[in-house]
Amino acid sequence: MPDLLLELFSEEIPARMQAKAADDLRRMVTDKLVAEGLVYEGSKAFATPRRLALTVHGIPARQADLKEERKGPRVGGADAAIQGFLKATGLSSIEEATIQRDPKKGDFYVALIEKPGRATLDVLAEMLPVIVRTFPWPKSMRWGKRSEKPGALNWVRPLHAITATFGLETEEPDVISFAVDGIEAGQTTFGHRFMAPAPISVRRFEDYEAKLLDAKVVLDPDRRKDTIVTDAKQLAFAQGYELVEDPVLLDEVAGLVEWPVVLMGSFDPEYLKVPGEVIRATIRNNQKCFVVRDPKTGGLAPKFILTANIEATDGGKTIIAGNERVIRARLSDAKFFYETDLKTKLEDRLPKFEQIVFHEKLGTQAARIARIEKLAAEIAPLVGADAAKTVRAAKLAKADLLTEVVGEFPEVQGLMGKYYALAQGEDASVAAACEEHYKPQGPGDRVPTDKVAVAVALADKLDTLVGFWAIDEKPTGSKDPYALRRAALGVIRLITENALRASLLKVAASALAGLHVKSAHEPDKLTADLLSFFADRLKVQLREQGARHDLVDAVFALGGQDDLLMVVRRVEALGKFLDSDDGKNLLAGTKRASNILAIEEKKDKRKFEGAPDVALYKLDEEKALAKAIGEVAAEAGAAVAKEDFAAAMRAMAKLRPAVDAFFDKVKVNDDDAAIRENRLRLLNEIRSATRAVADFSKIEG
């Protein structure tokens, strides 16, 4: 079957937009093909700085013919209905319709509409210009005299040429005939801007890709990335260094070049007195270059690796010299900022926070730091942290936000706080907390283990969460401008991965008491709502680890479950129990009991609570179940009190035989009203007994 080749050739597309643009092009074209009944075999899209390209192979040469029966009005119906039917179906007279007999509803007209399929070439010529004109660029522009006309093309950068061919691999393809804003589709593209700018005639994807390669254009971004990484590693290794890999920078650099040429430059070793992270940020942000490390010392080497877009006649000497000149100036600035920052102690910067508003409803940054100090002091004994060090760390943790280096490179906030704290002689734990109190910032980020850092990190995140909850600025849908979901997940990981015991409700209440803002909610309702939010985040966290989210609901439904570590351990034990035969069968029995109770409570409009009357037990299975419930409830309750949830589950398993036997032999809705009520109360006892470990009604299955 035929293949499609499409290329949109333009001025340089910003690197950050290329990957999504390639995916959007593939999605828009293939979705439209499928909507037109043209199911293809495969597709792949590519992006370089100057082009978006797409190949779709195995497309049918034409659409299938369609036959459709259209039901019309009744025979003998109103003339207006018949005329509308003829117009809708394209029939010239009602005699062209067939009559379908229906003894019950009466006879009615049916039109058989045959729609011949169109040639795919015509479908493509119709759909591709629409896709080009409606392409979803984040930002676009107009250019030239044509932009003055209504309906002029908007594109990310000036579009120069369109290549569009369609045909079989063994034949000369057809050029898809269409134009966009005066740009006619053809089969001509262009190679590298400097090394091979001449026009290139292409037929299909295979020779398109090969001819571009001959013209110094590597079409596939993954291939460009592989080239950059491989050459950079070899270049570093040849001089005894190691490349400091940077996947995000690699993606960007691969989007800046069509023909990657890797070169190495150097800078004055004097600049290595500046923290390595600052050097890397300077070189990375300003020149899009990689840094290298010395494997002997583990520190950075006075070298950098750049990626040029041209094979220079002088071997790249001029390019290297130009980059060295710029990097030298940038490193000089960074060194000046760093040395200037060291002259002012962190605590001496704090008064400036009194003029910086954190949030208009939550006060200044200074007020927030004071709240974090107070809350961290309360959390310190819960995590085993030194109280004085914790308060000191909370006071200094945000101070580096006012330094020159962090002002220039925001990504090193916290890290520079650590360096400055160590430089002024602060305790190692205080310095560590300055860096780590922001962590973890994502699922792949490291969780602090230093107790002081953990206390400050928890205080920071909980103050943020409680504060925005108090002013009713909670996440909604996909919107989370204050990253509150991330903060909640951070709290969860800090607690669970450090095995901390803490009552979230108590800590949240302390944070709320220190806010001094007018809240739209009562304190108890606010903290309960926040706990529900933590439950939702915990479900996300456990689901990513392979646990069942409904088990989290089953544990939180017991109420008062604000010790996240215990919730996780209870969920783990419950999950293992439900994987066993005893667990599955007990769950089925408990759900059966709950369902019967729900039906009968609705019927009688009352609850069947209270202890059953022993004197009304008529069958051995009733007595056995009552005895088992009493024993199991006591044993499971004692195990839960000791926080031995596995033992509590083992106790629950003993209930299974008695429950099975009860439902096998006992008629719950006995004709005697007193016996019926007594048996329903016994079912309620099953429900109550299992609630020692979880609310089984919340468990799926």
Side-chain angles (χ1 to χ4, degrees), residues 638-657:
V640 168
K642 295 176 184 176
E643 297 177 351
D644 187 348
F645 302 115
M649 301 303 163
R650 288 194 296 272
M652 282 289 120
K654 297 176 183 178
L655 199 57
R656 175 202 163 182

Side-chain angles (χ1 to χ4, degrees), residues 4 177 213 243 263 376 379 409 414 453 537 544 577 584 659 680:
L4 165 68
S177 179
L213 194 61
L243 174 71
L263 304 167
I379 293 173
F409 306 108
R537 295 302 94 202
E544 289 176 355
F577 176 57
K584 291 172 185 173
V659 171
L680 288 170

